[in-house]
Amino acid sequence: MASKNSTATKRADALRSIEAIVQAAAECLGRNPEASLSEIARAAGVGRVTLYGHFASRAEVVDAAMSRALDRGNEVLDAVDMTGDPRLALARYIEAGWHLVDQARALLAAAQRELSAGRILELHAGPAARVEALVARGRAEGVFRTDLPVAWMVNVLHAVMHSAAEEIRAGRLPSERAAGHITATVLAAFTPPGTPVPETGDGAHP
Amino acid sequence: MASKNSTATKRADALRSIEAIVQAAAECLGRNPEASLSEIARAAGVGRVTLYGHFASRAEVVDAAMSRALDRGNEVLDAVDMTGDPRLALARYIEAGWHLVDQARALLAAAQRELSAGRILELHAGPAARVEALVARGRAEGVFRTDLPVAWMVNVLHAVMHSAAEEIRAGRLPSERAAGHITATVLAAFTPPGTPVPETGDGAHP
């Protein structure tokens, strides 16, 4: 039977390996959504057997890498000022959130292949809750439309952000134009019928 | 060496098999994006060997089924009146196009797993050209915004349509609300800054 010490050592080793694998997965899949588990194990400095000891499938590795990216993303979004004019707050959220989507787009492509749409949505619960609260406040203050459901509006923002990521990946949109395009599009989409669409100067600021 | 007649017979048999496989693929994948090639062969009334004789991979089968669905879709879209007020034309296009996206959403899910984003885009060239022409006309007539690229606006329409398909699949949006939501969202997104968003009564008609 293993001594208390060696159990603790083994556990510490396992935690270190898992951390190394998740970090390597985020990096490898972030460069290439088709990166193999062998590549990820190599980048993590562990053997394939160790990787398979901790993760039952490629989907589990992708899930862990995606969770990690979203945890980091939530930390960045914590720093965004969501107070004041909801349109300005939305522009700030898009500016910060967009960079996260842009950085994570290869990882997201891997997630879309390996994970269910429901699981991807679940992982995005943090960002979704922020946008939901902002949309609800903008509706209460009369600057966002109330004739469409809040969930639909949150979904429109994410759809437009992710389609921008695909446009960039396809070489049809320069990365530095994306936040402006997304903001100009979504602020217009959220404007109550009968009210003028805000002038954003290509969406940088309403 | 085969006689002229038997060659013609073989060719006719091959065409019949291919047609049956593509039709079965569209039906099976339209019900379940994970339908196996064995299921598709069975539904087509051909053996797996015959299927593999005509299609080198699952991706080729999915590609053929998707091409077929888009050919049919283009026929339906041919019947849509794209003249008159560009906002009304867009609403009619969404009404017709939406039903096609809705019907083909499982097939599209299969395509997203098997085909590259570039290939999916290429297959959508027909619908994309129609929207492009309409957006360009709406801009020339001053009813659609000119501060964002036409390609981006076409992409926004498709992103919102496809995200509606995912919302329905996830059970978060009743199918019969989709066209109204898409129209209300996209007409607002296309409105020139400084101009009021059209009242659509939940987007059914501007």
Side-chain angles (χ1 to χ4, degrees), chain B residues 5 13 16 26 28 43 59 82 98 102-103 121 125 137-138 146 151 155-156 166 178 181 186 198:
Chain B
N5 265 354
D13 282 351
R16 247 194 315 275
C28 294
M82 297 290 267
W98 161 251
D102 191 29
Q103 282 157 19
L121 207 79
R137 187 164 70 81
T146 54
N155 197 48
V156 164
E166 278 173 33
H181 283 16
V186 174

Short mmCIF file of all heavy atoms in Angstrom, two decimals, chain B residues 5 13 16 26 28 43 59 82 98 102-103 121 125 137-138 146 151 155-156 166 178 181 186 198:
data_model
loop_
_atom_site.label_atom_id
_atom_site.label_comp_id
_atom_site.label_asym_id
_atom_site.label_seq_id
_atom_site.Cartn_x
_atom_site.Cartn_y
_atom_site.Cartn_z
N ASN B 5 -23.89 -1.28 -75.76
CA ASN B 5 -25.13 -1.35 -74.98
C ASN B 5 -24.89 -1.59 -73.52
O ASN B 5 -25.46 -0.94 -72.67
CB ASN B 5 -26.02 -2.48 -75.53
CG ASN B 5 -27.02 -1.90 -76.54
OD1 ASN B 5 -27.08 -0.68 -76.70
ND2 ASN B 5 -27.75 -2.78 -77.19
N ASP B 13 -27.18 2.58 -64.80
CA ASP B 13 -27.28 2.00 -63.45
C ASP B 13 -26.52 2.86 -62.45
O ASP B 13 -27.01 3.13 -61.35
CB ASP B 13 -26.66 0.59 -63.42
CG ASP B 13 -27.60 -0.45 -64.02
OD1 ASP B 13 -28.78 -0.10 -64.29
OD2 ASP B 13 -27.16 -1.60 -64.21
N ARG B 16 -28.34 6.01 -61.71
CA ARG B 16 -29.50 5.74 -60.84
C ARG B 16 -29.03 5.54 -59.40
O ARG B 16 -29.64 6.05 -58.47
CB ARG B 16 -30.25 4.50 -61.34
CG ARG B 16 -31.65 4.82 -61.86
CD ARG B 16 -32.50 3.57 -62.03
NE ARG B 16 -31.79 2.47 -62.66
CZ ARG B 16 -31.68 2.30 -63.99
NH1 ARG B 16 -32.23 3.17 -64.82
NH2 ARG B 16 -31.02 1.27 -64.47
N ALA B 26 -29.58 13.08 -48.39
CA ALA B 26 -30.27 14.31 -48.01
C ALA B 26 -31.36 14.00 -46.97
O ALA B 26 -31.53 14.73 -46.00
CB ALA B 26 -30.85 14.99 -49.24
N CYS B 28 -31.63 11.14 -44.91
CA CYS B 28 -31.10 10.59 -43.65
C CYS B 28 -30.38 11.67 -42.85
O CYS B 28 -30.60 11.80 -41.64
CB CYS B 28 -30.14 9.44 -43.92
SG CYS B 28 -30.92 7.99 -44.64
N ALA B 43 -30.89 3.00 -47.02
CA ALA B 43 -32.04 3.82 -47.44
C ALA B 43 -32.07 3.98 -48.97
O ALA B 43 -33.14 4.11 -49.56
CB ALA B 43 -31.99 5.18 -46.76
N ALA B 59 -17.41 12.78 -46.45
CA ALA B 59 -17.45 14.19 -46.83
C ALA B 59 -18.03 14.35 -48.24
O ALA B 59 -18.81 15.27 -48.50
CB ALA B 59 -16.05 14.81 -46.75
N MET B 82 -37.93 39.95 -55.95
CA MET B 82 -36.87 40.75 -55.34
C MET B 82 -36.95 42.21 -55.79
O MET B 82 -36.01 42.98 -55.57
CB MET B 82 -35.50 40.15 -55.67
CG MET B 82 -35.29 38.75 -55.11
SD MET B 82 -35.13 38.70 -53.30
CE MET B 82 -33.33 38.79 -53.13
N TRP B 98 -35.69 31.39 -45.04
CA TRP B 98 -35.73 30.84 -43.70
C TRP B 98 -36.27 29.41 -43.70
O TRP B 98 -35.72 28.52 -43.03
CB TRP B 98 -36.55 31.74 -42.78
CG TRP B 98 -36.94 30.95 -41.62
CD1 TRP B 98 -38.17 30.49 -41.28
CD2 TRP B 98 -36.02 30.40 -40.68
NE1 TRP B 98 -38.08 29.69 -40.18
CE2 TRP B 98 -36.77 29.62 -39.79
CE3 TRP B 98 -34.64 30.48 -40.51
CZ2 TRP B 98 -36.19 28.93 -38.74
CZ3 TRP B 98 -34.05 29.78 -39.47
CH2 TRP B 98 -34.82 29.03 -38.60
N ASP B 102 -34.42 26.21 -42.28
CA ASP B 102 -35.08 25.43 -41.24
C ASP B 102 -35.16 23.96 -41.64
O ASP B 102 -34.83 23.07 -40.86
CB ASP B 102 -36.49 26.01 -41.04
CG ASP B 102 -37.16 25.45 -39.80
OD1 ASP B 102 -36.44 25.10 -38.83
OD2 ASP B 102 -38.40 25.36 -39.78
N GLN B 103 -35.56 23.72 -42.89
CA GLN B 103 -35.68 22.34 -43.37
C GLN B 103 -34.31 21.66 -43.44
O GLN B 103 -34.20 20.46 -43.25
CB GLN B 103 -36.31 22.31 -44.77
CG GLN B 103 -37.82 22.50 -44.77
CD GLN B 103 -38.32 23.02 -46.11
OE1 GLN B 103 -37.64 22.92 -47.12
NE2 GLN B 103 -39.51 23.60 -46.11
N LEU B 121 -19.40 27.94 -47.84
CA LEU B 121 -19.62 29.26 -48.41
C LEU B 121 -19.80 29.17 -49.93
O LEU B 121 -20.67 29.83 -50.51
CB LEU B 121 -18.42 30.14 -48.10
CG LEU B 121 -18.70 31.61 -48.03
CD1 LEU B 121 -19.32 31.96 -46.70
CD2 LEU B 121 -17.43 32.40 -48.24
N ALA B 125 -23.11 30.12 -52.78
CA ALA B 125 -22.84 31.25 -53.67
C ALA B 125 -24.12 31.78 -54.31
O ALA B 125 -24.28 32.99 -54.47
CB ALA B 125 -21.84 30.83 -54.75
N ARG B 137 -28.63 47.23 -54.14
CA ARG B 137 -29.74 48.06 -54.62
C ARG B 137 -30.29 48.92 -53.47
O ARG B 137 -30.55 50.12 -53.63
CB ARG B 137 -30.84 47.18 -55.21
CG ARG B 137 -31.95 47.96 -55.89
CD ARG B 137 -32.80 47.10 -56.79
NE ARG B 137 -33.64 46.17 -56.06
CZ ARG B 137 -34.81 46.50 -55.50
NH1 ARG B 137 -35.26 47.73 -55.57
NH2 ARG B 137 -35.53 45.59 -54.87
N GLY B 138 -30.44 48.29 -52.28
CA GLY B 138 -30.96 49.02 -51.12
C GLY B 138 -30.04 50.17 -50.72
O GLY B 138 -30.50 51.23 -50.29
N THR B 146 -24.53 52.33 -45.79
CA THR B 146 -23.39 52.20 -46.70
C THR B 146 -22.07 52.26 -45.93
O THR B 146 -21.00 52.30 -46.53
CB THR B 146 -23.40 53.33 -47.75
OG1 THR B 146 -23.45 54.57 -47.04
CG2 THR B 146 -24.57 53.22 -48.69
N ALA B 151 -20.32 42.65 -48.28
CA ALA B 151 -20.02 41.26 -47.91
C ALA B 151 -20.32 41.02 -46.43
O ALA B 151 -20.83 39.97 -46.04
CB ALA B 151 -18.56 40.92 -48.21
N ASN B 155 -23.17 38.51 -44.79
CA ASN B 155 -22.74 37.58 -43.76
C ASN B 155 -23.58 37.69 -42.49
O ASN B 155 -23.90 36.69 -41.86
CB ASN B 155 -21.29 37.95 -43.46
CG ASN B 155 -20.59 36.86 -42.75
OD1 ASN B 155 -20.67 35.71 -43.16
ND2 ASN B 155 -19.95 37.20 -41.65
N VAL B 156 -23.94 38.92 -42.13
CA VAL B 156 -24.78 39.14 -40.94
C VAL B 156 -26.14 38.45 -41.15
O VAL B 156 -26.63 37.74 -40.25
CB VAL B 156 -24.97 40.65 -40.67
CG1 VAL B 156 -26.13 40.91 -39.71
CG2 VAL B 156 -23.68 41.26 -40.13
N GLU B 166 -30.13 27.19 -35.00
CA GLU B 166 -29.58 26.54 -33.79
C GLU B 166 -30.49 26.75 -32.58
O GLU B 166 -30.65 25.85 -31.76
CB GLU B 166 -28.18 27.08 -33.49
CG GLU B 166 -27.13 26.37 -34.33
CD GLU B 166 -25.75 26.98 -34.18
OE1 GLU B 166 -25.42 27.47 -33.09
OE2 GLU B 166 -25.00 26.96 -35.17
N ALA B 178 -39.40 32.44 -36.03
CA ALA B 178 -38.05 32.70 -36.54
C ALA B 178 -38.01 33.77 -37.63
O ALA B 178 -37.25 34.74 -37.52
CB ALA B 178 -37.42 31.40 -37.04
N HIS B 181 -38.47 37.25 -36.24
CA HIS B 181 -37.30 37.70 -35.46
C HIS B 181 -36.13 38.06 -36.38
O HIS B 181 -35.45 39.06 -36.18
CB HIS B 181 -36.84 36.60 -34.50
CG HIS B 181 -37.70 36.46 -33.27
ND1 HIS B 181 -38.95 37.00 -33.16
CD2 HIS B 181 -37.46 35.83 -32.08
CE1 HIS B 181 -39.45 36.70 -31.96
NE2 HIS B 181 -38.56 36.00 -31.29
N VAL B 186 -32.53 41.94 -38.81
CA VAL B 186 -31.67 42.28 -39.95
C VAL B 186 -32.06 43.62 -40.56
O VAL B 186 -31.19 44.42 -40.94
CB VAL B 186 -31.66 41.14 -40.99
CG1 VAL B 186 -30.90 41.54 -42.24
CG2 VAL B 186 -31.06 39.88 -40.37
N PRO B 198 -37.16 50.57 -39.16
CA PRO B 198 -38.55 50.35 -39.60
C PRO B 198 -39.35 49.55 -38.57
O PRO B 198 -38.82 48.67 -37.91
CB PRO B 198 -38.41 49.56 -40.91
CG PRO B 198 -37.00 49.12 -41.00
CD PRO B 198 -36.18 49.97 -40.08
#
